[in-house]
Amino acid sequence: MGNTKICQIVSETSEIEGWLSLEVAELLAKLAVHSKVIVEVGSWKGKSTITMALANPKARIFAIDP
């Protein structure tokens, strides 16, 4: 995944509260691109969940926040 796409995704999620760093966002996006199913435990306000969804809108994503 190119840096331009990562920058676009980070820009789109910048208003969402969270502790997602640029490095982790890039890693999650790269992993999400190749995933059919994503399970995230601890999604709080969804910043990382949305990052993965934007990277791969075709993946089935299950976000759980107890």
Side-chain angles (χ1 to χ4, degrees):
M1 172 168 284
N3 284 339
T4 303
K5 180 68 173 175
I6 294 292
C7 289
Q8 179 184 359
I9 290 171
V10 169
S11 174
E12 290 182 38
T13 60
S14 65
E15 298 297 318
I16 303 169
E17 280 187 78
W19 300 285
L20 188 63
S21 69
L22 180 58
E23 294 82 11
V24 174
E26 183 175 0
L27 175 63
L28 289 176
K30 286 180 179 179
L31 291 170
V33 166
H34 303 290
S35 301
K36 292 181 181 178
V37 177
I38 298 166
V39 178
E40 179 181 32
V41 178
S43 56
W44 192 45
K45 297 212 176 189
K47 188 170 190 166
S48 53
T49 308
I50 294 168
T51 297
M52 292 183 283
L54 290 171
N56 184 356
K58 293 183 179 182
R60 291 191 66 180
I61 300 177
F62 300 90
I64 304 156
D65 191 84

